[in-house]
Amino acid sequence: MTRFHAVVAFIAMLTSSAVAADSTKDVSLIVPEFTKIQPDLEALYKDLHQHPEIAFHEIRTADQLAKRLKALGYEVTTGVGKTGIVALLRNGPGPVIMLRTEIDALPVEEKTGLAFASKATMRNDAGVTVPLAHACGHDLHMTGWVGTATVMAGRKDRWHGTLMLVGQPAEEIVGGAAAMLADGLFSRFPKPDIVIGIHDEPTLPSGQVGFHAGFFRASADTIEVTIFGRGGHGAYPQRAVDPIVIAARSVLGIQTIISRETNPLSPAVITVGAIHGGTVANIIPDQVQMLLTVRAFDPKVREHLLAAIKRQLDAEATAADAPAMPSIKIIGGTDAVYNDPELTAHIIEVLGRDLGAGSVREMPAQMGSEDFSQYGRAGAKAVLLHIGAVDPAELASGRTLPGLHSPQWAPQLEPTLRSMVTAEVVVLTDLFTAPR
Ligand SMILES: [Zn+2]
Ligand SMILES: [Zn+2]
């Protein structure tokens, strides 16, 4: 049995025992300090919720977080990777452990009906006024992060090392992690041995921690394509080269890359999300534009997909005798999130021990992407966990419930916030003190 398979077997054992015992302990006893800071954290949550800011515009948000962490005695640097923040608590020799929260919101109009719903708007980079909401729950992540910062600062006698709290901008456009790393996140500041992140989850009951060892989120690349033809009258196709037909054949050809060229056991997705060309019925246009998203877990599969898409597009253009090969631009990709299997197993064991076996649940990998991947790529052992944020009764109702990015997404604040802080404190304390 390989080490990875041993880890998988161990996780399977944990999960089955979780189902059998389904025990969760009284979380309020594990981090009793939470009760004292809860009203303040809830006020912070509502404030952040009402003041969402989009990617790389998180000025007020970063300022609020920086003020709080400075007051707690953290060494705070702002403006890292444009609007990111780094807060260090140096507490003697020991490992450097990073806890990441995202700080950005989405251009979504909130329709939760909450008393503290966001009514905010902002001009985006294109000069368009857009509605804003924390429809992905990053306000919850920030609030939990501040709660954990508070508890860890008050418990310095119980751990040793350097706690590195990172408020990352622009997760929603998968640009913030790369921007912070390019701005010296792992060189101007201590390079973390371990990076942890927790995201709220619409498919798990409030407070339950979801985990997945190995590849957890897919890589993502956007491709902008322009297919060139020769325009002409729709009644005389023999005098033109029709880029609409080239595009139509390309869309189907590209899909066969997944069905015929990749291992069916290695997940991959290519979606043509936009296709634009032509104006009226009787004119053959000279160009068609397409926008694609490409997802994969295995970096080799990703590379193959990107090369095969170009090959298919070029071949269709050649077959149609197009005047030029298509223009293909690959934009802003992020890598797949890989959760270190041994570290994941260790964290889940610790959470199961302290919070109860029922507090953790294995969840499937997802083709959605997350730039949390970049911290692992930069050399840290990284684990991205999820935490359930839905009333268990609602989940059990069988109704279709809002998911992340929905205008109706509203995580259940209590007990999710308490569980989040508890899980973060338990995991961090263990990682700072466990012999390794
Ligand atoms: Zn999101
Ligand atoms: Zn998110």
Side-chain angles (χ1 to χ4, degrees):
M1 190 148 61
T2 64
R3 201 140 191 202
F4 179 78
H5 286 110
V7 168
V8 171
F10 172 73
I11 287 171
M13 185 198 80
L14 271 178
T15 312
S16 59
S17 66
V19 172
D22 199 27
S23 61
T24 47
K25 297 185 182 174
D26 185 350
V27 173
S28 63
L29 302 175
I30 301 165
V31 181
E33 303 98 304
F34 180 85
T35 306
K36 198 166 150 232
I37 58 175
Q38 187 174 13
D40 181 46
L41 289 180
E42 290 188 0
L44 171 65
Y45 175 72
K46 287 175 186 169
D47 179 71
L48 293 171
H49 190 89
Q50 288 178 308
H51 298 91
E53 293 168 304
I54 45 174
F56 289 130
H57 292 269
E58 311 92 335
I59 309 291
R60 181 188 184 276
T61 306
D63 190 51
Q64 296 293 313
L65 299 180
K67 267 190 214 147
R68 283 178 174 262
L69 268 67
K70 268 183 204 156
L72 289 167
Y74 285 73
E75 202 179 302
V76 178
T77 310
T78 55
V80 183
K82 206 163 178 189
T83 43
I85 106 165
V86 179
L88 295 171
L89 192 57
R90 297 183 203 263
N91 190 23
V96 179
I97 302 181
M98 172 176 146
L99 177 68
R100 174 265 219 170
T101 179
E102 319 86 320
I103 64 174
D104 58 327
L106 285 160
V108 167
E109 187 182 343
E110 180 167 348
K111 292 176 184 167
T112 58
L114 290 169
F116 56 92
S118 164
K119 294 182 182 70
T121 60
M122 186 183 255
R123 272 164 78 89
N124 67 11
D125 292 335
V128 178
T129 299
V130 291
L132 292 173
H134 269 297
C136 205
H138 297 177
D139 48 352
L140 176 69
H141 307 170
M142 287 186 269
T143 308
W145 182 88
V146 169
T148 298
T150 311
V151 174
M152 293 302 283
R155 285 184 175 200
K156 283 176 78 176
D157 55 330
R158 288 158 75 169
W159 60 277
H160 291 286
T162 298
L163 176 57
M164 181 176 180
L165 294 178
V166 168
Q168 182 210 301
E171 188 284 321
E172 296 295 357
I173 59 167
V174 292
M180 289 192 87
L181 287 163
D183 197 8
L185 182 63
F186 286 2
S187 54
R188 283 165 59 197
F189 305 93
K191 182 174 173 180
D193 301 289
I194 290 173
V195 179
I196 304 295
I198 304 190
H199 201 290
D200 62 346
E201 172 57 44
T203 67
L204 290 177
S206 294
Q208 191 174 46
V209 176
F211 66 94
H212 187 97
F215 285 117
F216 179 41
R217 302 289 205 94
S219 62
D221 295 291
T222 297
I223 308 187
E224 282 181 6
V225 179
T226 302
I227 291 170
F228 301 104
R230 193 164 53 242
H233 197 297
Y236 310 102
Q238 73 278 16
R239 294 181 199 156
V241 173
D242 189 346
I244 289 185
V245 173
I246 302 174
R249 295 212 304 224
S250 298
V251 169
L252 296 178
I254 284 166
Q255 290 307 325
T256 63
I257 297 168
I258 305 288
S259 73
R260 301 293 86 185
E261 294 187 35
T262 65
N263 184 335
L265 299 178
S266 189
V269 175
I270 303 173
T271 292
V272 178
I275 179 161
H276 297 286
T279 49
V280 293
N282 64 350
I283 297 176
I284 294 170
D286 62 357
Q287 287 190 2
V288 169
Q289 271 90 31
M290 302 201 296
L291 292 171
L292 284 65
T293 187
V294 180
R295 310 288 172 121
F297 288 133
D298 184 334
K300 287 203 182 79
V301 173
R302 177 189 188 185
E303 221 172 279
H304 179 89
L305 297 178
L306 297 175
I309 287 168
K310 175 169 170 32
R311 171 164 44 79
Q312 290 273 355
L313 288 165
D314 285 352
E316 291 297 353
T318 303
D321 198 21
M325 288 297 106
S327 141
I328 299 166
K329 196 170 150 199
I330 300 172
I331 309 154
T334 195
D335 298 286
V337 173
Y338 183 76
N339 283 333
D340 184 274
E342 280 180 55
L343 183 61
T344 306
H346 177 79
I347 287 171
I348 295 311
E349 187 189 358
V350 167
L351 288 173
R353 180 194 70 202
D354 286 8
L355 275 64
S359 68
V360 291
R361 190 188 296 181
E362 189 171 19
M363 57 185 289
Q366 302 174 1
M367 296 312 286
S369 59
E370 239 284 0
D371 67 357
F372 185 82
S373 54
Q374 302 313 112
Y375 305 117
R377 291 277 296 180
K381 279 192 176 184
V383 173
L384 177 65
L385 301 166
H386 278 208
I387 190 159
V390 182
D391 181 349
E394 285 279 302
L395 273 182
S397 72
R399 289 195 300 118
T400 304
L401 302 173
L404 301 178
H405 292 202
S406 151
Q408 277 96 18
W409 172 244
Q412 192 183 32
L413 192 56
E414 183 55 33
T416 309
L417 181 60
R418 181 189 292 269
S419 296
M420 191 168 191
V421 171
T422 304
E424 288 175 354
V425 168
V426 161
V427 169
L428 290 172
T429 305
D430 172 83
L431 295 174
F432 276 121
T433 54
R436 52 187 59 246

